[in-house]
């Protein structure tokens, strides 16, 4: 990632706080979904054909988060911060190009300046504007904590590709459940788009589905979804960062997220410096960090002065303590055996005999 890309991925200082920012869930590291009300122009005529676009923001960062990337390939630009946000955007078919492209000049959110993205999002959320009256959108905010916990499961790993695919499918299904007549879907991806497209076509057989690279530059509805996802993620990152500043007893952390985390990508020296300076040797970092990313894992397991913890094997029954151990009186004839009884069981007091329980 070059310096221009880093600048585009760094949240601006005065980002618009859209209704998709749920502060409590963000601080607690909980994933959530936000839907706008169905616009009256669509709700009053549910037979009106609509187009829907899908895009994401923050798949790569390690601080703060496309469906067919392989993590082993994508690691070079994986950063450790904040949520990954998927966005869907829909509007009547006849307004697709005239309203979004010709009038408001929606483009890939990475091409638009942060201020232009913020202004477009504000217009979408302002009652009385043509964008607010004609367009609906939704976001799925996938927290860094939930992404990492799913990817680090000892068995049955829920990888990022599967998480992204499920988020996309759920958002589309939820829009359809509102009665919106979606007839065309456009999705941005990089990789084997045909595989992704075939899966969506099986799930939504009556809808024309197009999945292709650079869809956010080709289809205005995808561009708009990109803006919704990107502005939501920028504001979400700021919420996450400000919550970490409250824990800084010496108040030495910079006021601006741009000065502390930067873009959150490993090619951004600000992000790496913050990780190194704020790593707890036992717990690592908070809900803002993706522990499953190689950048964070290497700091904890290889480069950092972290404390190693060896967890017992949950499948090891030989040395496991059972609840029934607390209800059995050991024989007092063997003193040595009694003295070596389970220390954990003894901590909770003398076991109770079956006769006492029966009474």
């Amino acid at each position: 990632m070059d310096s221009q890309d880093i600048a585009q991925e760094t949240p601006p200082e005065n980002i618009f706080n859209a209704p998709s920012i749920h502060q409590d869930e963000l601080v607690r590291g909980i994933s959530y979904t936000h839907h706008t009300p169905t616009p009256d122009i669509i709700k009053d005529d549910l037979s009106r054909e609509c187009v829907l676009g899908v895009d994401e923001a923050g798949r790569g960062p390690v601080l703060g988060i496309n469906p067919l990337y392989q993590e082993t390939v994508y690691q070079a630009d994986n950063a450790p911060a904040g949520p990954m946000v998927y966005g869907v955007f829909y509007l009547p078919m006849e307004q697709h190009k005239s309203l979004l492209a010709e009038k408001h000049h929606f483009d890939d959110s990475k091409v638009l300046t942060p201020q232009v993205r913020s202004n477009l999002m504000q217009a979408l959320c302002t009652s009385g504007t043509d964008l607010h009256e004609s367009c609906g959108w939704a976001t799925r905010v996938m927290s860094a904590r939930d992404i990492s916990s799913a990817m680090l499961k000892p068995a049955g790993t829920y990888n990022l590709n599967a998480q992204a695919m499920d988020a996309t499918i759920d958002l589309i299904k939820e829009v359809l459940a509102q009665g919106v007549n979606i007839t065309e879907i456009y999705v941005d991806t990089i990789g084997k788009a045909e595989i992704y497209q075939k899966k969506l076509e099986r799930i939504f057989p009556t809808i024309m589905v197009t999945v292709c690279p650079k869809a956010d530059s080709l289809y205005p509805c995808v561009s708009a979804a990109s803006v919704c996802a990107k502005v939501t993620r920028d504001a979400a990152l700021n919420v996450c960062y400000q919550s970490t500043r409250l824990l800084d007893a010496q108040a030495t952390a910079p006021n601006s997220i741009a000065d502390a985390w930067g873009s959150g990508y490993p090619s951004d020296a600000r992000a790496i410096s913050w990780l190194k300076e704020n790593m707890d040797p036992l717990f690592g970092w908070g809900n803002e960090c993706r522990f499953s990313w190689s950048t964070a894992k290497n700091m904890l397991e290889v480069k950092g002065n972290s404390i190693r913890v060896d967890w017992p094997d949950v499948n090891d029954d030989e040395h496991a303590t059972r609840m029934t151990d607390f209800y059995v009186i050991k024989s007092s004839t063997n003193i040595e055996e009694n003295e070596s009884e389970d220390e954990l069981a003894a901590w909770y007091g003398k076991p109770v005999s079956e006769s006492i329980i029966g009474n």
Side-chain angles (χ1 to χ4, degrees):
M1 178 179 288
D2 59 30
S3 58
Q4 183 177 357
D5 291 333
I6 288 176
Q8 284 290 72
E9 293 295 330
T10 301
E13 290 189 14
N14 299 315
I15 190 69
F16 173 67
N17 269 345
S20 51
I21 297 302
H22 299 185
Q23 185 163 339
D24 184 58
E25 285 89 342
L26 287 168
V27 172
R28 294 164 59 195
I30 298 174
S31 302
Y32 66 90
T33 301
H34 175 86
H35 281 268
T36 63
T38 305
D40 289 338
I41 191 175
I42 298 175
K43 188 166 54 177
D44 292 344
D45 182 10
L46 293 177
S47 65
R48 185 188 295 267
E49 294 186 351
C50 294
V51 60
L52 180 144
V54 184
D55 202 3
E56 55 78 31
R59 179 181 173 96
V62 63
L63 279 169
I65 346 174
N66 263 311
L68 293 176
Y69 296 146
Q70 292 297 322
E71 282 75 15
T72 54
V73 175
Y74 202 70
Q75 285 294 338
D77 243 356
N78 274 353
M84 177 168 74
V85 180
Y86 262 80
V88 298
F89 189 98
Y90 60 94
L91 76 165
M93 186 75 68
E94 66 271 17
Q95 294 182 300
H96 184 202
K97 293 184 178 179
S98 61
L99 180 62
L100 297 183
E102 296 171 7
K103 185 173 182 180
H104 291 283
H105 309 291
F106 275 89
D107 203 337
D108 175 13
S109 68
K110 293 182 286 295
V111 174
L112 302 174
T113 66
Q115 191 58 56
V116 170
R117 292 196 302 256
S118 184
N119 292 343
L120 287 171
M121 189 66 163
Q122 189 165 2
L124 280 168
C125 300
T126 302
S127 180
T129 65
D130 50 2
L131 289 172
H132 183 271
E133 298 302 315
S134 299
C135 308
W137 55 276
T139 54
R140 175 63 179 170
V141 177
M142 302 162 63
S143 73
R145 185 193 69 175
D146 288 348
I147 289 174
S148 295
S149 63
M151 294 178 66
L152 291 173
K153 288 181 178 179
T157 300
Y158 186 22
N159 67 37
L160 191 62
N161 293 347
Q163 294 181 57
M165 174 67 80
D166 289 346
T168 299
I169 293 170
D170 289 345
L171 284 170
I172 296 172
K173 285 182 175 180
E174 288 159 7
V175 171
L176 293 173
Q178 296 176 11
V180 182
N181 181 25
I182 303 296
T183 58
E184 296 180 14
I185 295 174
Y186 297 93
V187 184
D188 182 65
T189 189
I190 295 177
K192 297 180 180 179
E194 62 275 11
I195 297 176
Y196 193 6
Q197 180 167 319
K198 287 179 180 178
K199 180 169 184 176
L200 291 177
E201 287 174 338
R202 288 196 300 269
I203 298 172
F204 307 107
T206 63
I207 303 175
M208 189 192 82
V209 178
T210 300
V211 180
C212 67
K214 302 297 182 182
D216 49 359
S217 299
L218 299 173
Y219 305 103
C221 60
V222 181
S223 305
S226 176
V227 168
C228 292
K230 179 59 178 169
V231 175
T232 295
R233 176 178 149 76
D234 283 347
L237 268 179
N238 189 55
V239 170
C240 292
Y241 174 67
Q242 296 304 328
S243 70
T244 65
R245 286 188 69 242
L246 295 176
L247 302 177
D248 184 1
Q250 286 75 38
T252 58
N255 292 328
S256 169
I257 184 175
D259 295 330
W261 291 355
S263 64
Y265 285 79
S267 51
D268 190 334
R270 294 168 295 183
I272 299 304
S273 295
W274 187 90
L275 286 170
K276 291 178 179 177
E277 295 169 2
N278 293 273
M279 187 185 81
D280 182 274
L282 181 59
F283 298 105
W285 303 274
N287 292 329
E288 73 282 352
C289 183
R290 304 180 198 177
F291 288 77
S292 55
W293 265 226
S294 61
T295 307
K297 291 174 68 176
N298 287 339
M299 283 191 184
L300 281 171
E301 299 174 2
V302 181
K303 300 177 181 178
N305 297 317
S306 57
I307 299 173
R308 179 179 178 84
V309 178
D310 292 320
W311 297 99
D313 186 352
V314 295
N315 297 316
D316 183 8
D317 293 332
E318 183 179 352
H319 300 97
T321 301
R322 300 174 176 81
M323 286 300 297
T324 53
D325 293 341
F326 298 103
Y327 299 99
V328 178
I329 294 181
K330 299 181 183 291
S331 173
S332 59
T333 58
N334 191 331
I335 298 178
E336 291 183 0
E337 180 182 343
N338 286 338
E339 289 178 349
S340 62
E341 66 180 351
D342 190 336
E343 181 179 354
L344 179 60
W347 176 269
Y348 290 98
K350 185 177 180 181
V352 181
S353 66
E354 294 181 4
S355 60
I356 296 177
I357 296 175
N359 296 330

